[in-house]
Amino acid sequence: MLRTIKNIGALALLLGSGAVASPAFAHDSPHGLQLVFPSAAKDAAPIVLINRGLLFPKTPSIGTAYSLRCNESYKINTAAVPHAVIDDKGSLHVATSLGVRTSADQFCSFTLNTQLPNDSLGGFTQNASMPAEVLVSTFTYEATSKVFGSTDYGNNWTPKFSNRPLSVFEELLASPDGKRVVASGHRFDQPTRKLLATWGLSSDGGSTWEEQELTNDRLPLGFHPTDPNVLFAREPIPNLTLDPRDRLVRSSDGGKTFELIKELPFLDAFAATPDGSSIWIGSQTDGLQVSKDGGKTFTRVLEDTIISVYCLQYRQDRLWACTRVAPNNGGIHYSDDKGATFSKLLQFDEVTSQVICQNDVEMACATPWRDWTYELLTNFEDAGVPTDAGGAGSIADSGSTTGHDAGVAHDDGGTHHALDAGAKPAKKRDDGCSAFPAGDGSGAALTPLFALGALALVLRRRRTLRA
């Protein structure tokens, strides 16, 4: 899910001193978000989407070295959490709230899709059975939000659905067959001037929707690969500031009702074998959890090895994971025995080169690259300093799932990666290498409607702040 909130200073003035934004720090430790496979071969080396940009393999196969292309080079702020899709011609499409960018040369150059409204994109999902079909939602309370569909990996878009007034879809997740789609969102209630959590259900690929209003937020994690009636989601527990946790919930009726399975901190990832005999979820602090009974119970595995999981993907009998492993190494690992053991694809401290482009006249990656190398030498200690909390900024809702990966591979098992947002300049706590211009930089004062919505996002972000 993507969100952009501009001029937090204006929000603080409008709502009083109690709404002053928390100080932001320049960096979160490097971690993976999503894997994109350029080839159908089992041993193809994936392109790795991380919170600093894209890691490109130097050769096509596993075992190769990687080079970094920083977010700033293609004008995506590091506070954003994008979603990536590779099309049948090898072009890479990267979507954030600021639009969909497409490149065929490791983002040395790119084009911006002009068929979608910029600076207001929300959820993104892909049909695992027909990867060319993707959906995106727009995110704006002041105008009618919509769901757009594409049948060519996002090169062209057409409207499919218009939300009711003051209602938005912020996350989308399609079932493995693409017919059922669920959405997490909000509606601004004018009489009470409150932002209400909503949950949307579609049984026709996103053309028509039914909505429920919820007491608290619900965010999709993944569908059972053989039964679209079985769906998993997470519900951030409100008002837990010292020990924020998510409720892992399961539905057996297509997302209409849910039952509690387990409480865990910071759920971020979902994957399953094609037959559903093994289902995995990932937590940023409670590592890898597996279920052997269709998702009715989950047990942590490799507790002494895997500290954090940020993305999961099951592809051609191989489980992939964006991980942090003991003692404190971030990277990408894969398992050929359904998660019993893992092999290393790469550690981030092994990435010692950048993608070199002939047109890098402005050297957009110079500062981010210095920060990257400094952090790796200091064991990911924060390389930045607190920024002014009163300026314009971006607050990315922690309700977005940053690792529901596997929506990109051609046979990915039907899991999903949703989107978060960034604005100019980066102000998300513990995120952002620099204030590289990612939008128009406008700082117009917030309307009361946007102020209330922004306040809700700020408070929810504080309750479930990512590590």
Side-chain angles (χ1 to χ4, degrees), residues 32-33 219-222 232-234 245-248 262-272 278-291 298-302 306-313 319-324 342 398 400-405 415-416 466:
L33 300 171
L219 304 121
L221 277 173
F232 300 86
R234 68 180 185 90
R245 303 175 73 82
D246 292 334
R247 295 187 183 98
L248 172 64
K262 195 173 185 178
E263 289 186 4
L264 289 164
F266 298 149
L267 290 176
D268 250 355
F270 177 93
S278 294
I279 298 174
W280 297 272
I281 57 171
S283 163
Q284 286 195 15
T285 57
D286 274 21
L288 183 65
Q289 313 263 339
V290 64
S291 173
F298 284 86
T299 303
R300 186 172 183 180
V301 294
L302 301 175
I306 299 179
I307 302 170
S308 306
V309 176
Y310 298 92
C311 81
L312 290 169
Q313 178 171 344
L319 177 64
W320 291 86
C322 305
T323 54
R324 183 166 296 281
F342 280 83
S398 66
S400 70
T401 48
T402 60
H404 310 160
D405 186 35
T415 57
H416 172 70
R466 286 287 188 260

Side-chain angles (χ1 to χ4, degrees), residues 22-31 33 50-53 71-72 76-82 284 310 371 375 382-387 393-398 400 402 420-423 425-436 461 465-467:
S22 300
F25 291 87
H27 298 289
D28 188 10
S29 59
H31 59 264
L33 300 171
I50 65 172
N51 60 334
R52 304 303 175 77
N71 282 326
E72 289 81 353
I76 291 180
N77 198 289
T78 302
V81 181
Q284 286 195 15
Y310 298 92
D371 292 339
E375 286 177 335
D382 196 303
V385 295
T387 55
S394 163
I395 295 201
D397 172 28
S398 66
S400 70
T402 60
D420 210 339
K427 285 284 189 161
K428 180 181 172 185
R429 192 180 204 184
D430 291 337
D431 251 339
C433 281
S434 65
F436 187 85
R461 172 65 185 172
L465 184 65
R466 286 287 188 260

Side-chain angles (χ1 to χ4, degrees), residues 195-260:
L195 204 62
L196 305 177
T198 61
W199 178 253
L201 300 170
S202 174
S203 58
D204 56 7
S207 296
T208 61
W209 292 82
E210 297 178 4
E211 281 190 78
Q212 305 172 5
E213 291 192 354
L214 307 176
T215 304
N216 298 309
D217 294 319
R218 178 185 298 149
L219 304 121
L221 277 173
F223 280 91
H224 192 285
T226 64
D227 186 354
N229 286 315
V230 177
L231 167 67
F232 300 86
R234 68 180 185 90
E235 297 178 348
I237 301 175
N239 303 320
L240 287 182
T241 56
L242 297 180
D243 182 26
R245 303 175 73 82
D246 292 334
R247 295 187 183 98
L248 172 64
V249 294
R250 181 182 186 272
S251 174
S252 57
D253 58 7
K256 296 178 181 179
T257 62
F258 286 82
E259 60 178 342
L260 175 65

